[in-house]
Amino acid sequence: MELLFAVLSLVAVIAALYFAYEGAQLRHISNQLEGRNTDLRQRVIELTTEIQRLREASGLPHAELPTRRLKMN
């Protein structure tokens, strides 16, 4: 009976360590993706500002570009 308890305790410790490791991995991946998302948002802002500057500098009349929604398949 003591051997069974020792084995179950060991399995519980291994499971806890495994889930802690997986949780840390998920947090790391989440942080990386959030950083990339922030970088992409900043890049879009920079490109939008540059397009606006170029339009204004051209002196030519321009129409607003139509907006379209991306279809998610």
Side-chain angles (χ1 to χ4, degrees), residues 10 16 20:
L10 181 61

Side-chain angles (χ1 to χ4, degrees), residues 2-72:
E2 291 176 10
L3 180 60
L4 178 61
F5 180 71
V7 169
L8 288 176
S9 297
L10 181 61
V11 169
V13 168
I14 291 171
L17 290 174
Y18 172 77
F19 286 117
Y21 172 77
E22 287 296 319
Q25 288 292 94
L26 289 175
R27 281 190 297 278
H28 177 69
I29 290 169
S30 175
N31 289 340
Q32 284 183 326
L33 290 175
E34 185 60 35
R36 288 182 184 162
N37 193 19
T38 301
D39 293 344
L40 290 173
R41 281 191 198 128
Q42 184 59 37
R43 184 68 179 135
V44 167
I45 290 170
E46 290 170 1
L47 289 172
T48 303
T49 303
E50 182 66 11
I51 289 169
Q52 186 177 17
R53 186 190 68 76
L54 290 171
R55 280 182 177 168
E56 291 170 357
S58 72
L60 299 172
H62 59 275
E64 288 297 318
L65 296 175
T67 58
R68 43 182 180 143
R69 297 187 180 268
L70 296 176
K71 293 182 182 178
M72 303 300 280

